[in-house]
Amino acid sequence: MKKLKIIFFALWLIGISCNDQNQVIKENLLKATKVYDLNIAEPSGLAYAGNGVLYIVSDNTAKVYRISSTGEILETLKYYGNDLEAIALDLEKQFIYVANEKLATICKLSLAGDLLETHIVDLTYTDKNSGIEGLAINKTNKTLLALNEKNPGLILEYDESFHLIRKIQLDLASDYSDICILEQRQEIWILSDEEQKIMRCDLNGNLLDEYIINVYQPEGLAIDEKNETIYIASDAYEKLYHYKMPDIN
Protein backbone atom coordinates (compact mmCIF):
# COMPACT_ATOMS: atom_id res chain seq x y z
CA MET A 1 0.00 0.00 0.00
CA LYS A 2 2.86 2.32 0.87
CA LYS A 3 4.48 1.62 -2.53
CA LEU A 4 1.17 2.38 -4.26
CA LYS A 5 0.94 5.74 -2.50
CA ILE A 6 4.47 6.57 -3.59
CA ILE A 7 3.64 5.64 -7.19
CA PHE A 8 0.43 7.73 -7.20
CA PHE A 9 2.29 10.67 -5.67
CA ALA A 10 5.00 10.40 -8.35
CA LEU A 11 2.37 10.31 -11.11
CA TRP A 12 0.66 13.34 -9.57
CA LEU A 13 3.95 15.26 -9.60
CA ILE A 14 4.55 14.28 -13.23
CA GLY A 15 1.05 15.50 -14.12
CA ILE A 16 1.71 18.86 -12.47
CA SER A 17 5.04 19.15 -14.27
CA CYS A 18 3.47 18.37 -17.66
CA ASN A 19 0.64 20.83 -17.08
CA ASP A 20 3.12 23.54 -16.11
CA GLN A 21 5.22 22.82 -19.18
CA ASN A 22 2.15 22.85 -21.45
CA GLN A 23 1.07 26.17 -19.91
CA VAL A 24 4.50 27.68 -20.58
CA ILE A 25 4.44 26.44 -24.18
CA LYS A 26 0.90 27.79 -24.67
CA GLU A 27 1.84 31.20 -23.26
CA ASN A 28 5.01 31.44 -25.36
CA LEU A 29 3.49 30.20 -28.62
CA LEU A 30 3.47 32.91 -31.26
CA LYS A 31 0.80 32.75 -33.95
CA ALA A 32 1.37 34.19 -37.41
CA THR A 33 -0.80 37.19 -38.26
CA LYS A 34 -0.06 37.08 -42.00
CA VAL A 35 1.62 34.66 -44.42
CA TYR A 36 2.89 35.48 -47.93
CA ASP A 37 4.43 33.40 -50.71
CA LEU A 38 8.03 34.07 -51.66
CA ASN A 39 8.98 33.50 -55.28
CA ILE A 40 12.51 32.72 -54.08
CA ALA A 41 13.97 29.23 -53.88
CA GLU A 42 15.22 28.25 -50.42
CA PRO A 43 15.10 31.68 -48.78
CA SER A 44 17.44 32.03 -45.86
CA GLY A 45 18.77 35.07 -43.94
CA LEU A 46 16.57 38.16 -43.54
CA ALA A 47 17.29 41.80 -42.69
CA TYR A 48 14.83 44.66 -42.16
CA ALA A 49 15.58 47.89 -44.03
CA GLY A 50 12.66 50.03 -42.83
CA ASN A 51 9.45 51.27 -44.47
CA GLY A 52 8.18 47.74 -45.02
CA VAL A 53 11.24 46.66 -47.03
CA LEU A 54 13.44 43.64 -46.32
CA TYR A 55 16.54 42.07 -47.81
CA ILE A 56 16.76 38.31 -48.16
CA VAL A 57 19.28 35.80 -49.50
CA SER A 58 18.81 32.43 -51.18
CA ASP A 59 21.25 29.58 -50.73
CA ASN A 60 19.74 28.00 -53.87
CA THR A 61 20.21 30.88 -56.30
CA ALA A 62 23.07 32.47 -54.31
CA LYS A 63 21.46 35.87 -54.93
CA VAL A 64 20.44 38.82 -52.75
CA TYR A 65 16.92 40.24 -53.09
CA ARG A 66 15.18 43.38 -51.89
CA ILE A 67 11.56 42.51 -51.18
CA SER A 68 8.41 44.07 -49.80
CA SER A 69 6.85 42.93 -46.53
CA THR A 70 4.30 41.03 -48.63
CA GLY A 71 7.01 38.98 -50.37
CA GLU A 72 7.13 40.85 -53.69
CA ILE A 73 10.61 41.01 -55.26
CA LEU A 74 11.53 44.67 -55.72
CA GLU A 75 15.11 44.18 -56.89
CA THR A 76 17.65 41.43 -57.49
CA LEU A 77 21.15 42.62 -56.67
CA LYS A 78 24.05 41.95 -59.03
CA TYR A 79 26.12 40.01 -56.50
CA TYR A 80 26.36 36.25 -57.02
CA GLY A 81 27.58 34.25 -54.01
CA ASN A 82 28.07 30.66 -52.97
CA ASP A 83 25.60 29.07 -50.53
CA LEU A 84 24.37 32.40 -49.15
CA GLU A 85 22.87 31.94 -45.70
CA ALA A 86 22.99 35.29 -43.90
CA ILE A 87 22.62 39.03 -44.45
CA ALA A 88 22.91 42.24 -42.42
CA LEU A 89 22.44 45.91 -43.37
CA ASP A 90 24.39 49.03 -42.44
CA LEU A 91 22.11 51.64 -43.97
CA GLU A 92 24.00 54.56 -42.41
CA LYS A 93 27.15 53.60 -44.33
CA GLN A 94 25.24 52.06 -47.26
CA PHE A 95 26.74 48.57 -46.89
CA ILE A 96 25.40 45.04 -46.99
CA TYR A 97 27.13 42.06 -45.38
CA VAL A 98 26.44 38.51 -46.58
CA ALA A 99 27.83 35.15 -45.50
CA ASN A 100 28.84 32.36 -47.87
CA GLU A 101 28.55 29.34 -45.60
CA LYS A 102 30.53 26.71 -47.53
CA LEU A 103 33.33 29.18 -48.31
CA ALA A 104 33.40 30.41 -44.69
CA THR A 105 33.50 34.03 -45.89
CA ILE A 106 31.69 37.24 -45.04
CA CYS A 107 31.48 39.72 -47.91
CA LYS A 108 30.87 43.44 -47.78
CA LEU A 109 28.73 44.80 -50.63
CA SER A 110 27.39 48.11 -51.83
CA LEU A 111 23.60 48.51 -51.80
CA ALA A 112 23.67 47.76 -55.53
CA GLY A 113 25.47 44.48 -54.87
CA ASP A 114 29.05 45.38 -55.86
CA LEU A 115 31.63 43.31 -53.99
CA LEU A 116 33.81 45.59 -51.84
CA GLU A 117 35.58 43.26 -49.40
CA THR A 118 35.86 39.56 -48.58
CA HIS A 119 36.81 38.28 -45.13
CA ILE A 120 37.62 34.68 -44.25
CA VAL A 121 36.01 33.42 -41.04
CA ASP A 122 38.23 31.19 -38.92
CA LEU A 123 35.98 28.16 -38.54
CA THR A 124 38.40 25.38 -39.39
CA TYR A 125 36.81 23.18 -36.71
CA THR A 126 33.31 23.51 -38.22
CA ASP A 127 32.09 21.41 -41.16
CA LYS A 128 31.03 23.31 -44.29
CA ASN A 129 27.33 22.70 -43.67
CA SER A 130 27.37 24.06 -40.11
CA GLY A 131 28.93 27.48 -40.64
CA ILE A 132 27.69 31.07 -40.55
CA GLU A 133 23.88 31.20 -40.66
CA GLY A 134 23.16 34.68 -39.34
CA LEU A 135 24.55 38.23 -39.36
CA ALA A 136 23.54 41.32 -37.39
CA ILE A 137 24.94 44.80 -36.85
CA ASN A 138 24.90 46.49 -33.46
CA LYS A 139 24.68 50.19 -34.33
CA THR A 140 25.35 51.24 -30.74
CA ASN A 141 28.84 49.78 -30.47
CA LYS A 142 29.41 49.43 -34.24
CA THR A 143 30.11 45.71 -34.23
CA LEU A 144 29.11 42.88 -36.56
CA LEU A 145 27.80 39.63 -35.09
CA ALA A 146 28.21 36.39 -37.02
CA LEU A 147 26.18 33.40 -35.84
CA ASN A 148 27.62 29.90 -36.30
CA GLU A 149 24.95 27.23 -36.81
CA LYS A 150 26.40 24.42 -34.65
CA ASN A 151 29.46 22.30 -33.87
CA PRO A 152 29.90 24.61 -32.06
CA GLY A 153 27.06 27.09 -31.68
CA LEU A 154 28.57 30.50 -31.11
CA ILE A 155 28.53 34.20 -31.96
CA LEU A 156 31.63 35.86 -33.40
CA GLU A 157 31.81 39.60 -32.74
CA TYR A 158 33.90 41.82 -35.06
CA ASP A 159 34.81 45.50 -34.90
CA GLU A 160 34.61 47.87 -37.89
CA SER A 161 38.06 46.77 -39.10
CA PHE A 162 36.86 43.16 -38.98
CA HIS A 163 39.07 42.25 -36.04
CA LEU A 164 37.59 39.52 -33.88
CA ILE A 165 36.68 41.01 -30.50
CA ARG A 166 35.19 37.98 -28.76
CA LYS A 167 33.41 34.66 -29.12
CA ILE A 168 30.15 33.98 -27.30
CA GLN A 169 29.48 30.29 -26.75
CA LEU A 170 25.82 29.29 -27.05
CA ASP A 171 24.07 26.42 -25.32
CA LEU A 172 20.45 27.36 -25.96
CA ALA A 173 19.35 25.03 -28.77
CA SER A 174 20.49 22.22 -31.05
CA ASP A 175 21.11 24.67 -33.89
CA TYR A 176 20.94 28.40 -34.74
CA SER A 177 19.69 29.74 -38.07
CA ASP A 178 19.55 33.55 -37.83
CA ILE A 179 20.18 36.48 -35.52
CA CYS A 180 19.09 40.09 -35.15
CA ILE A 181 19.58 42.90 -32.65
CA LEU A 182 16.88 45.04 -31.07
CA GLU A 183 18.63 48.38 -30.85
CA GLN A 184 16.23 50.04 -28.44
CA ARG A 185 16.33 47.16 -25.98
CA GLN A 186 19.94 46.18 -26.73
CA GLU A 187 18.99 42.52 -27.00
CA ILE A 188 20.01 39.68 -29.30
CA TRP A 189 17.22 37.55 -30.77
CA ILE A 190 18.24 34.17 -32.19
CA LEU A 191 16.26 31.76 -34.37
CA SER A 192 16.50 27.96 -34.23
CA ASP A 193 15.58 25.95 -37.33
CA GLU A 194 15.46 22.52 -35.73
CA GLU A 195 13.62 23.58 -32.57
CA GLN A 196 11.31 26.09 -34.30
CA LYS A 197 11.76 28.80 -31.71
CA ILE A 198 13.08 32.32 -31.14
CA MET A 199 15.38 32.98 -28.19
CA ARG A 200 15.54 36.44 -26.62
CA CYS A 201 18.96 37.06 -25.09
CA ASP A 202 21.07 39.81 -23.59
CA LEU A 203 24.20 41.01 -25.41
CA ASN A 204 26.23 38.25 -23.77
CA GLY A 205 23.99 35.49 -25.11
CA ASN A 206 22.23 34.77 -21.82
CA LEU A 207 18.66 33.56 -22.32
CA LEU A 208 15.91 35.95 -21.20
CA ASP A 209 12.93 34.20 -22.79
CA GLU A 210 11.98 32.03 -25.75
CA TYR A 211 9.01 31.82 -28.09
CA ILE A 212 7.70 28.85 -30.05
CA ILE A 213 6.78 29.26 -33.75
CA ASN A 214 5.04 26.59 -35.81
CA VAL A 215 7.11 27.14 -38.95
CA TYR A 216 8.92 24.34 -40.76
CA GLN A 217 12.60 25.10 -41.43
CA PRO A 218 12.60 28.75 -40.32
CA GLU A 219 15.90 30.18 -41.55
CA GLY A 220 15.35 33.94 -41.72
CA LEU A 221 14.61 36.33 -38.85
CA ALA A 222 14.12 40.10 -38.99
CA ILE A 223 12.36 42.49 -36.60
CA ASP A 224 10.70 45.84 -37.18
CA GLU A 225 11.09 47.12 -33.64
CA LYS A 226 9.16 50.34 -34.24
CA ASN A 227 6.03 48.57 -35.53
CA GLU A 228 6.52 45.53 -33.28
CA THR A 229 6.57 43.04 -36.15
CA ILE A 230 8.63 39.88 -36.43
CA TYR A 231 9.38 38.44 -39.89
CA ILE A 232 10.23 34.77 -40.39
CA ALA A 233 11.26 33.14 -43.69
CA SER A 234 10.64 29.43 -44.20
CA ASP A 235 13.27 27.74 -46.36
CA ALA A 236 11.18 24.65 -47.09
CA TYR A 237 7.81 26.34 -47.72
CA GLU A 238 9.25 29.50 -49.34
CA LYS A 239 6.94 31.73 -47.33
CA LEU A 240 7.23 34.93 -45.31
CA TYR A 241 5.46 34.95 -41.94
CA HIS A 242 4.47 38.01 -39.90
CA TYR A 243 4.17 37.90 -36.12
CA LYS A 244 3.25 40.50 -33.56
CA MET A 245 6.01 40.95 -31.02
CA PRO A 246 5.15 39.48 -27.62
CA ASP A 247 4.61 41.70 -24.61
CA ILE A 248 7.92 42.11 -22.82
CA ASN A 249 8.18 43.42 -19.28
Side-chain angles (χ1 to χ4, degrees):
M1 186 67 178
K2 186 176 181 180
K3 288 184 178 179
L4 276 174
K5 287 183 178 179
I6 292 173
I7 291 171
F8 285 136
F9 181 68
L11 290 173
W12 178 72
L13 286 177
I14 291 171
I16 291 176
S17 176
C18 289
N19 288 334
D20 289 345
Q21 186 176 13
N22 289 337
Q23 183 66 22
V24 169
I25 291 174
K26 184 178 179 181
E27 289 178 354
N28 283 15
L29 175 64
L30 300 184
K31 296 183 179 180
T33 58
K34 298 176 183 177
V35 183
Y36 298 97
D37 291 329
L38 287 168
N39 190 24
I40 298 171
E42 298 179 27
S44 192
L46 266 179
Y48 185 67
N51 298 320
V53 174
L54 300 106
Y55 282 74
I56 190 168
V57 295
S58 164
D59 54 294
N60 179 285
T61 65
K63 301 291 289 182
V64 182
Y65 304 89
R66 186 166 63 90
I67 65 172
S68 71
S69 60
T70 58
E72 177 188 359
I73 296 176
L74 305 175
E75 181 184 7
T76 302
L77 276 62
K78 63 178 71 174
Y79 177 75
Y80 183 80
N82 186 311
D83 191 26
L84 289 180
E85 292 285 355
I87 184 168
L89 301 176
D90 187 339
L91 294 178
E92 291 180 3
K93 297 184 178 179
Q94 304 285 287
F95 294 140
I96 298 171
Y97 292 91
V98 295
N100 297 278
E101 184 178 28
K102 289 181 180 177
L103 298 179
T105 61
I106 295 175
C107 295
K108 183 178 181 180
L109 314 175
S110 70
L111 291 184
D114 298 301
L115 178 62
L116 304 175
E117 297 176 5
T118 299
H119 300 276
I120 297 175
V121 181
D122 183 14
L123 288 172
T124 54
Y125 45 84
T126 298
D127 68 80
K128 292 183 178 180
N129 290 318
S130 302
I132 300 301
E133 286 276 337
L135 293 171
I137 294 173
N138 189 335
K139 297 175 185 176
T140 302
N141 60 17
K142 303 184 187 306
T143 59
L144 174 68
L145 304 183
L147 177 72
N148 200 56
E149 180 183 7
K150 56 185 176 182
N151 302 324
L154 79 157
I155 297 171
L156 306 172
E157 186 170 11
Y158 297 93
D159 64 16
E160 290 184 286
S161 300
F162 214 81
H163 295 131
L164 183 63
I165 301 172
R166 62 171 177 161
K167 295 181 180 180
I168 303 172
Q169 297 288 334
L170 298 175
D171 189 21
L172 308 173
S174 55
D175 83 319
Y176 310 96
S177 56
D178 207 354
I179 185 173
C180 69
I181 291 179
L182 271 65
E183 291 290 339
Q184 295 175 16
R185 301 186 63 88
Q186 280 297 283
E187 293 177 351
I188 298 172
W189 289 44
I190 303 171
L191 180 66
S192 172
D193 169 355
E194 294 177 4
E195 297 190 20
Q196 298 180 349
K197 67 181 181 180
I198 302 169
M199 294 150 282
R200 183 169 70 90
C201 306
D202 64 22
L203 293 182
N204 294 312
N206 299 308
L207 184 67
L208 302 175
D209 207 344
E210 59 183 34
Y211 310 100
I212 307 302
I213 52 169
N214 289 329
V215 175
Y216 184 58
Q217 286 188 7
E219 295 216 353
L221 169 67
I223 297 176
D224 174 0
E225 198 171 356
K226 180 181 177 181
N227 294 302
E228 299 185 337
T229 302
I230 300 172
Y231 299 97
I232 300 287
S234 166
D235 179 298
Y237 290 158
E238 298 174 7
K239 293 183 181 296
L240 181 67
Y241 296 79
H242 292 206
Y243 294 86
K244 184 182 183 301
M245 281 187 64
D247 293 329
I248 302 171
N249 297 326

